[in-house]
Amino acid sequence: MKILYAASEVAPFAKTGGLADVGAGLPKELAKLGHEVWVIMPRHRSVDDTGIVLEKPSGRVSVHVDSIPVEGQIYETVFPGTEDTSTPARMIFVDNPAYFDRAGVYGESGMDYTDNLERFVFFCRAALQWLKKSDWIPDIIHANDWHSALIPTYLHAETSDIFDNTRTVYTIHNLAYQGLFTKSRYSVLGLPWDLFHLDALEFYDRINLSKGGIIFSNAVTTVSKKHSQEIQTVEFGCGLDGLLKSIGHRLHGILNGCDTDVWNPSTDPHIAQQFDSESFLEGKAENKKALLKEMKLDALDPDVPLFGVVSRLEALKGMDILADTAEKLVDKRAQLVILGTGDSNLEDALQDSAKNLPQNIAVRFVYSEELAHRIFAGSDFFLMPSRFEPCGLSQMYALRYGSIPIVHAVGGLADTVVDITEPNGNGFQFSEPTDTAFLKTCERAFALYAEPRKHRDIIRQAMSFDATWARAAKTYTKLYGNLLG
Ligand code: ADP
Ligand code: GLC
């Protein structure tokens, strides 16, 4: 099959969250299965920060944004990790410095770029034009979240028959972000006004790009089974529950995978000591020691449990629950390491807690891939009290590194973390996103920590967690095949 995978972020070229990890993991496995895969993303500034050398452009595109022709260049390289496969995938960058050579991917200092609509209209139109110019018409176009949701919408509006045999899949990674823009900017899209209605792009008198992806794609997926049911309810549907319920027959939940080339404690170059399910006792102890030293938490004498957090700092991630309870949680008998960026009020609150208990709590408000690896490797428990979590990848990484996850049982967290009271338990679940329920569940973690033999068994169980991209890629391939008939 010929598959175009379009996303605004693909690790390591650009990453603000799990979307980028999916963009790295899934296409690689699709290529390994023998499919002809092209992956397309904007050339954000961070692409060049990876040290990649993009020498000569392979061509140009010129597309209309608000009726004005805008030029771009296309650069290509081999998709990382597919070099040795019989069908190496292509990594394609859409270059337009005015739009994409910026410090952020969607915005800076907590503010979205005001021209995000223009930027992603350009990206989606450029992607389609490049396919036509290359005379490479995919069987499947797989778009992801609102940034590429216009691709299926433009295909719907396409007047030529060039894409008649192409089928589209739209994956919802995070319905909380839908690409909403004021109606007065509709001309930027270059689409007829008859697509601005309830059954197309209109949403409470605004433009909603995700709606286009959902309505005009042949199949819609989200990133866990449980979340595919949740988004059909008022509580989790973010205003689109009615629509999602009505398309239930073409809505699928496919759990993300875990890229074991990157997230593997036995080969991880970023951690103090590599370990596997045989050697974790010593390995985790060494990593904990190194992490405590790095975070300046090594003055505390007794051996106490270490809780880790790697997260965007926002209420959807339950980070307000963490901020409210951090000091009570450690209560001088535990330690807490937090890595995250986001809401400045949450940063301030967590910073205050770290000031109040400097031997117990350390915070880093930066984005650091390396430190994230060290937190997974060195912590005993991993906290994810998310209110909303379509899949969640961090809990999967924590499991593989033997850091026992403590999670609110929503979305992918409920589908991957099994409470230790159940057979094959690998973590802790709580069902209400409240301070009390969270703290009560952490008490259960203290109890487990006090029982070394049981704790070891649970670590072993956690490390055996196995949700591979190979499995997910097979499920996607089956779905693509069904669409092609
Ligand atoms: P989401 O995509 O909603 O943020 P996921 O759990 O799917 O949640 O993915 C988050 C990804 O981003 C994980 O790979 C996690 O390790 C990473 N991450 C989040 N914040 C940071 C940070 N400050 N530094 C490094 N990695 C981070
Ligand atoms: C989104 C979701 C997260 C998911 C990720 C990758 O950012 O918030 O739960 O794991 O996308 O699909």
Side-chain angles (χ1 to χ4, degrees), residues 187-471:
S187 62
V188 173
L189 299 172
L191 285 167
W193 272 101
D194 64 12
L195 287 181
F196 191 74
H197 63 79
L198 188 63
D199 295 322
L201 298 175
E202 189 267 346
F203 184 70
Y204 298 103
D205 211 31
R206 299 171 82 191
I207 306 166
N208 183 325
L209 300 187
S210 292
K211 262 189 89 182
I214 294 167
I215 291 169
F216 298 119
S217 295
N218 298 104
V220 178
T221 71
T222 188
V223 285
S224 68
K225 269 259 163 349
K226 174 128 183 177
H227 196 61
S228 70
Q229 293 148 4
E230 287 173 345
I231 56 177
Q232 300 181 51
T233 66
V234 175
E235 193 186 351
F236 292 99
C238 305
L240 292 179
D241 41 289
L243 169 63
L244 289 161
K245 214 168 165 174
S246 74
I247 61 132
H249 59 286
R250 57 182 176 91
L251 173 63
H252 310 262
I254 303 178
L255 189 72
N256 285 334
C258 180
D259 188 337
T260 48
D261 293 342
V262 181
W263 301 101
N264 182 348
S266 64
T267 54
D268 193 326
H270 306 300
I271 64 179
Q273 185 171 316
Q274 295 167 348
F275 61 96
D276 58 21
S277 54
E278 299 290 306
S279 60
F280 68 83
L281 217 51
E282 198 202 318
K284 283 206 63 82
E286 280 307 310
N287 282 298
K288 182 171 176 179
K289 210 160 102 191
L291 178 63
L292 291 175
K293 189 152 183 242
E294 177 176 1
M295 304 301 284
K296 302 199 172 47
L297 287 179
D298 52 339
L300 197 72
D301 223 4
D303 170 29
V304 295
L306 175 61
F307 293 89
V309 174
V310 179
S311 180
R312 290 187 285 115
L313 300 178
E314 60 172 38
L316 280 180
K317 292 279 180 192
M319 288 295 114
D320 53 331
I321 298 176
L322 179 76
D324 287 348
T325 56
E327 290 178 52
K328 272 196 211 126
L329 164 66
V330 298
D331 193 24
K332 302 199 178 73
R333 62 191 171 132
Q335 291 176 299
L336 173 60
V337 168
I338 300 163
L339 170 65
T341 55
D343 187 323
S344 57
N345 292 324
L346 288 172
E347 289 189 5
D348 292 346
L350 292 167
Q351 183 78 64
D352 286 346
S353 298
K355 270 197 197 127
N356 293 340
L357 292 171
Q359 296 197 352
N360 302 78
I361 302 178
V363 291
R364 293 285 183 279
F365 303 128
V366 293
Y367 192 91
S368 166
E369 196 74 22
E370 290 82 9
L371 181 55
H373 283 245
R374 292 197 283 275
I375 293 177
F376 291 122
S379 55
D380 299 302
F381 299 99
F382 189 79
L383 304 174
M384 248 173 124
S386 310
R387 294 198 156 72
F388 181 93
E389 196 62 79
C391 177
L393 293 166
S394 298
Q395 83 283 7
M396 300 197 202
Y397 306 153
L399 284 166
R400 292 193 53 87
Y401 283 72
S403 178
I404 307 303
I406 298 173
V407 305
H408 176 220
V410 280
L413 297 176
D415 286 358
T416 52
V417 176
V418 182
D419 196 90
I420 64 163
T421 50
E422 305 287 326
N424 302 325
N426 59 12
F428 298 92
Q429 287 196 357
F430 57 99
S431 44
E432 291 297 324
T434 60
D435 295 2
T436 318
F438 174 63
L439 283 173
K440 235 168 126 183
T441 311
C442 294
E443 284 300 328
R444 294 171 56 213
F446 282 107
L448 180 65
Y449 193 80
E451 278 189 77
R453 189 172 302 168
K454 187 160 179 213
H455 189 194
R456 280 203 293 275
D457 290 345
I458 301 292
I459 295 180
R460 221 170 269 122
Q461 181 64 39
M463 289 186 72
S464 70
F465 177 79
D466 184 29
T468 60
W469 274 117
R471 167 205 47 87

Side-chain angles (χ1 to χ4, degrees), residues 16-183:
T16 70
L19 176 62
D21 291 1
V22 178
L26 177 59
K28 184 163 68 178
E29 287 302 325
L30 290 169
K32 283 189 194 162
L33 289 175
H35 300 299
E36 212 179 305
V37 181
W38 287 19
V39 179
I40 193 159
M41 70 176 278
R43 184 178 181 179
H44 300 294
R45 183 179 297 166
S46 57
V47 171
D48 297 81
D49 296 341
T50 60
I52 187 175
V53 181
L54 296 172
E55 271 163 358
K56 266 203 329 242
S58 355
R60 318 187 134 268
V61 282
S62 174
V63 298
H64 283 88
V65 179
D66 209 358
S67 310
I68 299 163
V70 180
E71 301 263 316
Q73 310 224 67
I74 302 292
Y75 288 84
E76 296 183 329
T77 185
V78 178
F79 190 86
T82 67
E83 299 83 353
D84 300 332
T85 58
S86 56
T87 47
R90 274 200 206 186
M91 181 72 230
I92 303 168
F93 299 102
V94 178
D95 186 41
N96 175 307
Y99 284 148
F100 301 124
D101 185 10
R102 299 187 186 179
V105 174
Y106 310 114
E108 283 168 54
S109 318
M111 299 288 287
D112 282 347
Y113 293 128
T114 51
D115 59 351
N116 271 346
L117 184 60
E118 285 84 349
R119 297 171 79 222
F120 290 102
V121 162
F122 173 76
F123 170 62
C124 292
R125 284 192 174 273
L128 286 175
Q129 195 183 81
W130 185 240
L131 296 178
K132 287 184 191 169
K133 274 196 147 182
S134 312
D135 205 13
W136 190 84
I137 303 306
D139 302 304
I140 295 290
I141 295 185
H142 189 156
N144 295 277
D145 271 357
W146 68 265
H147 334 101
S148 47
L150 275 170
I151 297 183
T153 307
Y154 285 132
L155 279 194
H156 170 82
E158 170 79 36
T159 45
S160 80
D161 58 5
I162 194 162
F163 292 109
D164 275 5
N165 296 322
T166 299
R167 297 289 170 269
T168 47
V169 175
Y170 178 63
T171 295
I172 298 169
H173 295 264
N174 198 333
L175 201 57
Y177 301 93
Q178 298 178 7
L180 295 175
F181 297 93
T182 161
K183 163 180 158 182

